[in-house]
Amino acid sequence: MGPAFAVGVDADQDWIKPGFILASVMKRVDVGVYKAAGKALKYYRGEIEKYGGVMELGLADGGVALSRLEDLETLLDLAVKAGSIKPEQKQEIYEKVEKMREQIPGWIWEEVYKLADTLKKNKDPEAMGVKFSDIEKAIPLDSKEIREIREKLKAG
């Protein structure tokens, strides 16, 4: 049993708690917008007959991705440009996260990236007899279901 780690979500959160955030699963909205705009252009040009609906992009499509140090550097560059941090803070944060990543045993990184590769090929992997879809089915999807669960748990 090793130390506890966390995975950030939605954006690169590696910098928030260096030493505990292994990586982040980032929503690549830029990829989604680019692909949607490309589809709209194809529709406009008459290259496709139908446009609209839901576009679902996963790891294999580039719609989500695991953060790497290069992503952190990009995020920190944007923070400097926006005036949120000073250039010297950028370097300090980057070095802290880089040092943390170097201290994590290589096998952990191998497992993280192996999981990402598995999810690119198999959207419903199984671990210990439980499929991802089984977990997803148990998650309430609307406010009514959430209210019912909160009432059962007496959680207000």
PDB file of all heavy atoms in Angstrom, residues 116-151:
ATOM      1  N   ALA A 116      -5.178   5.057 -19.149  1.00  0.00           N
ATOM      2  CA  ALA A 116      -5.615   5.943 -20.234  1.00  0.00           C
ATOM      3  C   ALA A 116      -5.672   5.187 -21.555  1.00  0.00           C
ATOM      4  O   ALA A 116      -6.645   5.313 -22.316  1.00  0.00           O
ATOM      5  CB  ALA A 116      -4.689   7.145 -20.351  1.00  0.00           C
ATOM      6  N   ASP A 117      -4.663   4.387 -21.838  1.00  0.00           N
ATOM      7  CA  ASP A 117      -4.654   3.598 -23.076  1.00  0.00           C
ATOM      8  C   ASP A 117      -5.798   2.590 -23.099  1.00  0.00           C
ATOM      9  O   ASP A 117      -6.442   2.386 -24.129  1.00  0.00           O
ATOM     10  CB  ASP A 117      -3.319   2.876 -23.256  1.00  0.00           C
ATOM     11  CG  ASP A 117      -2.188   3.826 -23.617  1.00  0.00           C
ATOM     12  OD1 ASP A 117      -2.480   4.950 -24.092  1.00  0.00           O
ATOM     13  OD2 ASP A 117      -1.019   3.450 -23.421  1.00  0.00           O
ATOM     14  N   THR A 118      -6.060   1.952 -21.951  1.00  0.00           N
ATOM     15  CA  THR A 118      -7.163   0.999 -21.855  1.00  0.00           C
ATOM     16  C   THR A 118      -8.490   1.688 -22.152  1.00  0.00           C
ATOM     17  O   THR A 118      -9.319   1.165 -22.901  1.00  0.00           O
ATOM     18  CB  THR A 118      -7.214   0.365 -20.445  1.00  0.00           C
ATOM     19  OG1 THR A 118      -6.007  -0.350 -20.231  1.00  0.00           O
ATOM     20  CG2 THR A 118      -8.406  -0.562 -20.282  1.00  0.00           C
ATOM     21  N   LEU A 119      -8.690   2.883 -21.582  1.00  0.00           N
ATOM     22  CA  LEU A 119      -9.948   3.599 -21.788  1.00  0.00           C
ATOM     23  C   LEU A 119     -10.102   4.104 -23.221  1.00  0.00           C
ATOM     24  O   LEU A 119     -11.222   4.309 -23.684  1.00  0.00           O
ATOM     25  CB  LEU A 119     -10.066   4.758 -20.794  1.00  0.00           C
ATOM     26  CG  LEU A 119     -10.249   4.326 -19.338  1.00  0.00           C
ATOM     27  CD1 LEU A 119     -10.155   5.526 -18.417  1.00  0.00           C
ATOM     28  CD2 LEU A 119     -11.558   3.590 -19.144  1.00  0.00           C
ATOM     29  N   LYS A 120      -8.997   4.307 -23.929  1.00  0.00           N
ATOM     30  CA  LYS A 120      -9.080   4.695 -25.345  1.00  0.00           C
ATOM     31  C   LYS A 120      -9.629   3.546 -26.173  1.00  0.00           C
ATOM     32  O   LYS A 120     -10.342   3.764 -27.144  1.00  0.00           O
ATOM     33  CB  LYS A 120      -7.699   5.100 -25.875  1.00  0.00           C
ATOM     34  CG  LYS A 120      -7.231   6.437 -25.399  1.00  0.00           C
ATOM     35  CD  LYS A 120      -5.848   6.743 -25.944  1.00  0.00           C
ATOM     36  CE  LYS A 120      -5.319   8.057 -25.378  1.00  0.00           C
ATOM     37  NZ  LYS A 120      -3.954   8.327 -25.848  1.00  0.00           N
ATOM     38  N   LYS A 121      -9.296   2.320 -25.786  1.00  0.00           N
ATOM     39  CA  LYS A 121      -9.689   1.138 -26.553  1.00  0.00           C
ATOM     40  C   LYS A 121     -10.989   0.518 -26.054  1.00  0.00           C
ATOM     41  O   LYS A 121     -11.726  -0.081 -26.811  1.00  0.00           O
ATOM     42  CB  LYS A 121      -8.568   0.096 -26.488  1.00  0.00           C
ATOM     43  CG  LYS A 121      -7.266   0.574 -27.095  1.00  0.00           C
ATOM     44  CD  LYS A 121      -6.148  -0.414 -26.813  1.00  0.00           C
ATOM     45  CE  LYS A 121      -4.815   0.215 -27.154  1.00  0.00           C
ATOM     46  NZ  LYS A 121      -3.731  -0.345 -26.393  1.00  0.00           N
ATOM     47  N   ASN A 122     -11.245   0.633 -24.758  1.00  0.00           N
ATOM     48  CA  ASN A 122     -12.398  -0.019 -24.142  1.00  0.00           C
ATOM     49  C   ASN A 122     -13.092   0.974 -23.222  1.00  0.00           C
ATOM     50  O   ASN A 122     -12.586   1.286 -22.154  1.00  0.00           O
ATOM     51  CB  ASN A 122     -11.929  -1.245 -23.346  1.00  0.00           C
ATOM     52  CG  ASN A 122     -13.063  -1.982 -22.668  1.00  0.00           C
ATOM     53  OD1 ASN A 122     -14.231  -1.618 -22.804  1.00  0.00           O
ATOM     54  ND2 ASN A 122     -12.729  -3.022 -21.925  1.00  0.00           N
ATOM     55  N   LYS A 123     -14.250   1.451 -23.651  1.00  0.00           N
ATOM     56  CA  LYS A 123     -14.955   2.464 -22.860  1.00  0.00           C
ATOM     57  C   LYS A 123     -15.647   1.887 -21.636  1.00  0.00           C
ATOM     58  O   LYS A 123     -16.160   2.617 -20.817  1.00  0.00           O
ATOM     59  CB  LYS A 123     -15.969   3.201 -23.739  1.00  0.00           C
ATOM     60  CG  LYS A 123     -15.314   4.044 -24.798  1.00  0.00           C
ATOM     61  CD  LYS A 123     -16.333   4.803 -25.608  1.00  0.00           C
ATOM     62  CE  LYS A 123     -15.621   5.629 -26.651  1.00  0.00           C
ATOM     63  NZ  LYS A 123     -16.526   6.445 -27.420  1.00  0.00           N
ATOM     64  N   ASP A 124     -15.685   0.557 -21.513  1.00  0.00           N
ATOM     65  CA  ASP A 124     -16.363  -0.063 -20.378  1.00  0.00           C
ATOM     66  C   ASP A 124     -15.497  -1.164 -19.761  1.00  0.00           C
ATOM     67  O   ASP A 124     -15.882  -2.320 -19.705  1.00  0.00           O
ATOM     68  CB  ASP A 124     -17.718  -0.625 -20.824  1.00  0.00           C
ATOM     69  CG  ASP A 124     -18.634  -0.939 -19.657  1.00  0.00           C
ATOM     70  OD1 ASP A 124     -18.413  -0.396 -18.553  1.00  0.00           O
ATOM     71  OD2 ASP A 124     -19.572  -1.734 -19.847  1.00  0.00           O
ATOM     72  N   PRO A 125     -14.312  -0.800 -19.272  1.00  0.00           N
ATOM     73  CA  PRO A 125     -13.451  -1.831 -18.680  1.00  0.00           C
ATOM     74  C   PRO A 125     -14.032  -2.355 -17.371  1.00  0.00           C
ATOM     75  O   PRO A 125     -14.882  -1.729 -16.760  1.00  0.00           O
ATOM     76  CB  PRO A 125     -12.134  -1.095 -18.440  1.00  0.00           C
ATOM     77  CG  PRO A 125     -12.514   0.324 -18.303  1.00  0.00           C
ATOM     78  CD  PRO A 125     -13.710   0.516 -19.191  1.00  0.00           C
ATOM     79  N   GLU A 126     -13.528  -3.499 -16.974  1.00  0.00           N
ATOM     80  CA  GLU A 126     -13.989  -4.134 -15.750  1.00  0.00           C
ATOM     81  C   GLU A 126     -12.818  -4.275 -14.779  1.00  0.00           C
ATOM     82  O   GLU A 126     -11.701  -4.593 -15.181  1.00  0.00           O
ATOM     83  CB  GLU A 126     -14.552  -5.521 -16.081  1.00  0.00           C
ATOM     84  CG  GLU A 126     -15.166  -6.233 -14.911  1.00  0.00           C
ATOM     85  CD  GLU A 126     -15.818  -7.536 -15.308  1.00  0.00           C
ATOM     86  OE1 GLU A 126     -16.448  -7.594 -16.375  1.00  0.00           O
ATOM     87  OE2 GLU A 126     -15.685  -8.500 -14.534  1.00  0.00           O
ATOM     88  N   ALA A 127     -13.089  -4.015 -13.525  1.00  0.00           N
ATOM     89  CA  ALA A 127     -12.088  -4.206 -12.478  1.00  0.00           C
ATOM     90  C   ALA A 127     -12.767  -4.865 -11.292  1.00  0.00           C
ATOM     91  O   ALA A 127     -13.804  -4.381 -10.821  1.00  0.00           O
ATOM     92  CB  ALA A 127     -11.473  -2.870 -12.073  1.00  0.00           C
ATOM     93  N   MET A 128     -12.223  -5.964 -10.836  1.00  0.00           N
ATOM     94  CA  MET A 128     -12.750  -6.678  -9.678  1.00  0.00           C
ATOM     95  C   MET A 128     -14.230  -7.012  -9.844  1.00  0.00           C
ATOM     96  O   MET A 128     -15.016  -6.901  -8.906  1.00  0.00           O
ATOM     97  CB  MET A 128     -12.485  -5.886  -8.399  1.00  0.00           C
ATOM     98  CG  MET A 128     -10.997  -5.637  -8.152  1.00  0.00           C
ATOM     99  SD  MET A 128     -10.647  -4.522  -6.802  1.00  0.00           S
ATOM    100  CE  MET A 128     -11.194  -5.469  -5.409  1.00  0.00           C
ATOM    101  N   GLY A 129     -14.620  -7.378 -11.059  1.00  0.00           N
ATOM    102  CA  GLY A 129     -15.995  -7.790 -11.326  1.00  0.00           C
ATOM    103  C   GLY A 129     -16.986  -6.656 -11.513  1.00  0.00           C
ATOM    104  O   GLY A 129     -18.183  -6.893 -11.651  1.00  0.00           O
ATOM    105  N   VAL A 130     -16.519  -5.404 -11.519  1.00  0.00           N
ATOM    106  CA  VAL A 130     -17.415  -4.257 -11.686  1.00  0.00           C
ATOM    107  C   VAL A 130     -17.014  -3.504 -12.951  1.00  0.00           C
ATOM    108  O   VAL A 130     -15.857  -3.151 -13.132  1.00  0.00           O
ATOM    109  CB  VAL A 130     -17.331  -3.299 -10.472  1.00  0.00           C
ATOM    110  CG1 VAL A 130     -18.246  -2.100 -10.670  1.00  0.00           C
ATOM    111  CG2 VAL A 130     -17.687  -4.035  -9.197  1.00  0.00           C
ATOM    112  N   LYS A 131     -18.001  -3.286 -13.820  1.00  0.00           N
ATOM    113  CA  LYS A 131     -17.749  -2.514 -15.036  1.00  0.00           C
ATOM    114  C   LYS A 131     -17.988  -1.032 -14.772  1.00  0.00           C
ATOM    115  O   LYS A 131     -18.783  -0.680 -13.898  1.00  0.00           O
ATOM    116  CB  LYS A 131     -18.677  -2.972 -16.168  1.00  0.00           C
ATOM    117  CG  LYS A 131     -18.344  -4.340 -16.706  1.00  0.00           C
ATOM    118  CD  LYS A 131     -19.191  -4.636 -17.912  1.00  0.00           C
ATOM    119  CE  LYS A 131     -18.709  -5.907 -18.573  1.00  0.00           C
ATOM    120  NZ  LYS A 131     -19.301  -6.069 -19.887  1.00  0.00           N
ATOM    121  N   PHE A 132     -17.314  -0.182 -15.534  1.00  0.00           N
ATOM    122  CA  PHE A 132     -17.521   1.267 -15.408  1.00  0.00           C
ATOM    123  C   PHE A 132     -18.995   1.615 -15.619  1.00  0.00           C
ATOM    124  O   PHE A 132     -19.537   2.468 -14.945  1.00  0.00           O
ATOM    125  CB  PHE A 132     -16.659   2.022 -16.417  1.00  0.00           C
ATOM    126  CG  PHE A 132     -15.245   2.269 -15.957  1.00  0.00           C
ATOM    127  CD1 PHE A 132     -14.598   1.424 -15.081  1.00  0.00           C
ATOM    128  CD2 PHE A 132     -14.562   3.367 -16.427  1.00  0.00           C
ATOM    129  CE1 PHE A 132     -13.303   1.665 -14.662  1.00  0.00           C
ATOM    130  CE2 PHE A 132     -13.266   3.621 -16.016  1.00  0.00           C
ATOM    131  CZ  PHE A 132     -12.629   2.761 -15.134  1.00  0.00           C
ATOM    132  N   SER A 133     -19.654   0.940 -16.557  1.00  0.00           N
ATOM    133  CA  SER A 133     -21.065   1.237 -16.836  1.00  0.00           C
ATOM    134  C   SER A 133     -21.944   0.921 -15.632  1.00  0.00           C
ATOM    135  O   SER A 133     -22.964   1.577 -15.419  1.00  0.00           O
ATOM    136  CB  SER A 133     -21.543   0.474 -18.071  1.00  0.00           C
ATOM    137  OG  SER A 133     -21.419  -0.923 -17.874  1.00  0.00           O
ATOM    138  N   ASP A 134     -21.575  -0.086 -14.826  1.00  0.00           N
ATOM    139  CA  ASP A 134     -22.342  -0.401 -13.617  1.00  0.00           C
ATOM    140  C   ASP A 134     -22.286   0.770 -12.637  1.00  0.00           C
ATOM    141  O   ASP A 134     -23.282   1.107 -12.003  1.00  0.00           O
ATOM    142  CB  ASP A 134     -21.788  -1.660 -12.929  1.00  0.00           C
ATOM    143  CG  ASP A 134     -21.928  -2.909 -13.787  1.00  0.00           C
ATOM    144  OD1 ASP A 134     -22.841  -2.947 -14.636  1.00  0.00           O
ATOM    145  OD2 ASP A 134     -21.103  -3.820 -13.611  1.00  0.00           O
ATOM    146  N   ILE A 135     -21.112   1.357 -12.509  1.00  0.00           N
ATOM    147  CA  ILE A 135     -20.937   2.507 -11.624  1.00  0.00           C
ATOM    148  C   ILE A 135     -21.736   3.691 -12.164  1.00  0.00           C
ATOM    149  O   ILE A 135     -22.443   4.370 -11.428  1.00  0.00           O
ATOM    150  CB  ILE A 135     -19.446   2.864 -11.484  1.00  0.00           C
ATOM    151  CG1 ILE A 135     -18.699   1.717 -10.814  1.00  0.00           C
ATOM    152  CG2 ILE A 135     -19.272   4.168 -10.690  1.00  0.00           C
ATOM    153  CD1 ILE A 135     -17.194   1.820 -10.889  1.00  0.00           C
ATOM    154  N   GLU A 136     -21.645   3.905 -13.463  1.00  0.00           N
ATOM    155  CA  GLU A 136     -22.348   5.028 -14.089  1.00  0.00           C
ATOM    156  C   GLU A 136     -23.855   4.920 -13.902  1.00  0.00           C
ATOM    157  O   GLU A 136     -24.535   5.903 -13.637  1.00  0.00           O
ATOM    158  CB  GLU A 136     -21.993   5.082 -15.579  1.00  0.00           C
ATOM    159  CG  GLU A 136     -22.519   6.299 -16.282  1.00  0.00           C
ATOM    160  CD  GLU A 136     -22.065   6.337 -17.730  1.00  0.00           C
ATOM    161  OE1 GLU A 136     -22.129   5.308 -18.414  1.00  0.00           O
ATOM    162  OE2 GLU A 136     -21.665   7.419 -18.160  1.00  0.00           O
ATOM    163  N   LYS A 137     -24.399   3.699 -14.006  1.00  0.00           N
ATOM    164  CA  LYS A 137     -25.840   3.492 -13.829  1.00  0.00           C
ATOM    165  C   LYS A 137     -26.298   3.835 -12.412  1.00  0.00           C
ATOM    166  O   LYS A 137     -27.443   4.194 -12.201  1.00  0.00           O
ATOM    167  CB  LYS A 137     -26.211   2.040 -14.147  1.00  0.00           C
ATOM    168  CG  LYS A 137     -26.154   1.701 -15.606  1.00  0.00           C
ATOM    169  CD  LYS A 137     -26.418   0.223 -15.804  1.00  0.00           C
ATOM    170  CE  LYS A 137     -25.988  -0.215 -17.189  1.00  0.00           C
ATOM    171  NZ  LYS A 137     -25.947  -1.667 -17.318  1.00  0.00           N
ATOM    172  N   ALA A 138     -25.400   3.718 -11.447  1.00  0.00           N
ATOM    173  CA  ALA A 138     -25.751   3.978 -10.047  1.00  0.00           C
ATOM    174  C   ALA A 138     -25.710   5.464  -9.704  1.00  0.00           C
ATOM    175  O   ALA A 138     -26.158   5.865  -8.636  1.00  0.00           O
ATOM    176  CB  ALA A 138     -24.804   3.216  -9.128  1.00  0.00           C
ATOM    177  N   ILE A 139     -25.204   6.288 -10.612  1.00  0.00           N
ATOM    178  CA  ILE A 139     -25.097   7.717 -10.351  1.00  0.00           C
ATOM    179  C   ILE A 139     -26.406   8.401 -10.746  1.00  0.00           C
ATOM    180  O   ILE A 139     -26.883   8.233 -11.860  1.00  0.00           O
ATOM    181  CB  ILE A 139     -23.917   8.332 -11.140  1.00  0.00           C
ATOM    182  CG1 ILE A 139     -22.604   7.690 -10.690  1.00  0.00           C
ATOM    183  CG2 ILE A 139     -23.872   9.854 -10.978  1.00  0.00           C
ATOM    184  CD1 ILE A 139     -21.419   8.050 -11.554  1.00  0.00           C
ATOM    185  N   PRO A 140     -27.008   9.169  -9.822  1.00  0.00           N
ATOM    186  CA  PRO A 140     -28.252   9.866 -10.168  1.00  0.00           C
ATOM    187  C   PRO A 140     -28.006  10.859 -11.313  1.00  0.00           C
ATOM    188  O   PRO A 140     -27.008  11.569 -11.328  1.00  0.00           O
ATOM    189  CB  PRO A 140     -28.640  10.613  -8.893  1.00  0.00           C
ATOM    190  CG  PRO A 140     -27.596  10.313  -7.895  1.00  0.00           C
ATOM    191  CD  PRO A 140     -26.558   9.447  -8.492  1.00  0.00           C
ATOM    192  N   LEU A 141     -28.942  10.882 -12.251  1.00  0.00           N
ATOM    193  CA  LEU A 141     -28.743  11.716 -13.429  1.00  0.00           C
ATOM    194  C   LEU A 141     -29.614  12.954 -13.480  1.00  0.00           C
ATOM    195  O   LEU A 141     -29.415  13.799 -14.335  1.00  0.00           O
ATOM    196  CB  LEU A 141     -28.974  10.876 -14.705  1.00  0.00           C
ATOM    197  CG  LEU A 141     -28.021   9.690 -14.864  1.00  0.00           C
ATOM    198  CD1 LEU A 141     -28.398   8.875 -16.082  1.00  0.00           C
ATOM    199  CD2 LEU A 141     -26.592  10.157 -14.952  1.00  0.00           C
ATOM    200  N   ASP A 142     -30.598  13.066 -12.601  1.00  0.00           N
ATOM    201  CA  ASP A 142     -31.411  14.282 -12.635  1.00  0.00           C
ATOM    202  C   ASP A 142     -31.717  14.751 -11.212  1.00  0.00           C
ATOM    203  O   ASP A 142     -31.471  14.039 -10.239  1.00  0.00           O
ATOM    204  CB  ASP A 142     -32.693  14.085 -13.449  1.00  0.00           C
ATOM    205  CG  ASP A 142     -33.634  13.044 -12.864  1.00  0.00           C
ATOM    206  OD1 ASP A 142     -33.647  12.840 -11.636  1.00  0.00           O
ATOM    207  OD2 ASP A 142     -34.380  12.429 -13.634  1.00  0.00           O
ATOM    208  N   SER A 143     -32.260  15.959 -11.107  1.00  0.00           N
ATOM    209  CA  SER A 143     -32.488  16.555  -9.791  1.00  0.00           C
ATOM    210  C   SER A 143     -33.491  15.762  -8.959  1.00  0.00           C
ATOM    211  O   SER A 143     -33.370  15.691  -7.739  1.00  0.00           O
ATOM    212  CB  SER A 143     -32.934  18.008  -9.943  1.00  0.00           C
ATOM    213  OG  SER A 143     -34.127  18.077 -10.679  1.00  0.00           O
ATOM    214  N   LYS A 144     -34.476  15.130  -9.606  1.00  0.00           N
ATOM    215  CA  LYS A 144     -35.471  14.338  -8.880  1.00  0.00           C
ATOM    216  C   LYS A 144     -34.790  13.154  -8.191  1.00  0.00           C
ATOM    217  O   LYS A 144     -35.022  12.895  -7.009  1.00  0.00           O
ATOM    218  CB  LYS A 144     -36.555  13.845  -9.824  1.00  0.00           C
ATOM    219  CG  LYS A 144     -37.626  13.032  -9.139  1.00  0.00           C
ATOM    220  CD  LYS A 144     -38.649  12.516 -10.119  1.00  0.00           C
ATOM    221  CE  LYS A 144     -39.622  11.600  -9.383  1.00  0.00           C
ATOM    222  NZ  LYS A 144     -40.307  10.694 -10.272  1.00  0.00           N
ATOM    223  N   GLU A 145     -33.940  12.431  -8.934  1.00  0.00           N
ATOM    224  CA  GLU A 145     -33.229  11.293  -8.349  1.00  0.00           C
ATOM    225  C   GLU A 145     -32.305  11.742  -7.213  1.00  0.00           C
ATOM    226  O   GLU A 145     -32.218  11.078  -6.181  1.00  0.00           O
ATOM    227  CB  GLU A 145     -32.402  10.570  -9.413  1.00  0.00           C
ATOM    228  CG  GLU A 145     -33.239   9.805 -10.426  1.00  0.00           C
ATOM    229  CD  GLU A 145     -32.370   9.185 -11.502  1.00  0.00           C
ATOM    230  OE1 GLU A 145     -31.740   9.941 -12.264  1.00  0.00           O
ATOM    231  OE2 GLU A 145     -32.323   7.946 -11.552  1.00  0.00           O
ATOM    232  N   ILE A 146     -31.652  12.854  -7.397  1.00  0.00           N
ATOM    233  CA  ILE A 146     -30.759  13.370  -6.359  1.00  0.00           C
ATOM    234  C   ILE A 146     -31.552  13.728  -5.108  1.00  0.00           C
ATOM    235  O   ILE A 146     -31.159  13.406  -3.989  1.00  0.00           O
ATOM    236  CB  ILE A 146     -29.957  14.586  -6.889  1.00  0.00           C
ATOM    237  CG1 ILE A 146     -28.973  14.107  -7.964  1.00  0.00           C
ATOM    238  CG2 ILE A 146     -29.227  15.293  -5.754  1.00  0.00           C
ATOM    239  CD1 ILE A 146     -28.306  15.221  -8.731  1.00  0.00           C
ATOM    240  N   ARG A 147     -32.722  14.402  -5.285  1.00  0.00           N
ATOM    241  CA  ARG A 147     -33.575  14.750  -4.137  1.00  0.00           C
ATOM    242  C   ARG A 147     -34.021  13.497  -3.384  1.00  0.00           C
ATOM    243  O   ARG A 147     -34.004  13.452  -2.153  1.00  0.00           O
ATOM    244  CB  ARG A 147     -34.801  15.537  -4.617  1.00  0.00           C
ATOM    245  CG  ARG A 147     -34.709  17.025  -4.399  1.00  0.00           C
ATOM    246  CD  ARG A 147     -36.035  17.752  -4.584  1.00  0.00           C
ATOM    247  NE  ARG A 147     -36.830  17.356  -5.728  1.00  0.00           N
ATOM    248  CZ  ARG A 147     -36.643  17.776  -6.980  1.00  0.00           C
ATOM    249  NH1 ARG A 147     -35.670  18.612  -7.259  1.00  0.00           N
ATOM    250  NH2 ARG A 147     -37.420  17.368  -7.959  1.00  0.00           N
ATOM    251  N   GLU A 148     -34.437  12.455  -4.139  1.00  0.00           N
ATOM    252  CA  GLU A 148     -34.886  11.219  -3.506  1.00  0.00           C
ATOM    253  C   GLU A 148     -33.771  10.596  -2.668  1.00  0.00           C
ATOM    254  O   GLU A 148     -34.009  10.130  -1.546  1.00  0.00           O
ATOM    255  CB  GLU A 148     -35.379  10.224  -4.566  1.00  0.00           C
ATOM    256  CG  GLU A 148     -36.681  10.631  -5.214  1.00  0.00           C
ATOM    257  CD  GLU A 148     -37.030   9.751  -6.417  1.00  0.00           C
ATOM    258  OE1 GLU A 148     -36.284   8.800  -6.741  1.00  0.00           O
ATOM    259  OE2 GLU A 148     -38.084  10.030  -7.045  1.00  0.00           O
ATOM    260  N   ILE A 149     -32.572  10.562  -3.207  1.00  0.00           N
ATOM    261  CA  ILE A 149     -31.441   9.985  -2.465  1.00  0.00           C
ATOM    262  C   ILE A 149     -31.130  10.828  -1.238  1.00  0.00           C
ATOM    263  O   ILE A 149     -30.902  10.297  -0.151  1.00  0.00           O
ATOM    264  CB  ILE A 149     -30.209   9.865  -3.379  1.00  0.00           C
ATOM    265  CG1 ILE A 149     -30.469   8.765  -4.420  1.00  0.00           C
ATOM    266  CG2 ILE A 149     -28.945   9.569  -2.577  1.00  0.00           C
ATOM    267  CD1 ILE A 149     -29.450   8.698  -5.523  1.00  0.00           C
ATOM    268  N   ARG A 150     -31.151  12.144  -1.379  1.00  0.00           N
ATOM    269  CA  ARG A 150     -30.882  13.032  -0.243  1.00  0.00           C
ATOM    270  C   ARG A 150     -31.931  12.830   0.851  1.00  0.00           C
ATOM    271  O   ARG A 150     -31.601  12.830   2.031  1.00  0.00           O
ATOM    272  CB  ARG A 150     -30.850  14.498  -0.682  1.00  0.00           C
ATOM    273  CG  ARG A 150     -29.612  14.828  -1.532  1.00  0.00           C
ATOM    274  CD  ARG A 150     -29.595  16.278  -1.967  1.00  0.00           C
ATOM    275  NE  ARG A 150     -29.466  17.185  -0.851  1.00  0.00           N
ATOM    276  CZ  ARG A 150     -28.311  17.532  -0.278  1.00  0.00           C
ATOM    277  NH1 ARG A 150     -27.190  17.051  -0.731  1.00  0.00           N
ATOM    278  NH2 ARG A 150     -28.293  18.371   0.729  1.00  0.00           N
ATOM    279  N   GLU A 151     -33.205  12.638   0.458  1.00  0.00           N
ATOM    280  CA  GLU A 151     -34.257  12.400   1.456  1.00  0.00           C
ATOM    281  C   GLU A 151     -34.040  11.071   2.174  1.00  0.00           C
ATOM    282  O   GLU A 151     -34.168  10.998   3.401  1.00  0.00           O
ATOM    283  CB  GLU A 151     -35.634  12.421   0.776  1.00  0.00           C
ATOM    284  CG  GLU A 151     -36.068  13.820   0.377  1.00  0.00           C
ATOM    285  CD  GLU A 151     -37.331  13.824  -0.487  1.00  0.00           C
ATOM    286  OE1 GLU A 151     -37.982  12.779  -0.639  1.00  0.00           O
ATOM    287  OE2 GLU A 151     -37.646  14.918  -1.018  1.00  0.00           O
TER     288      GLU A 151
END
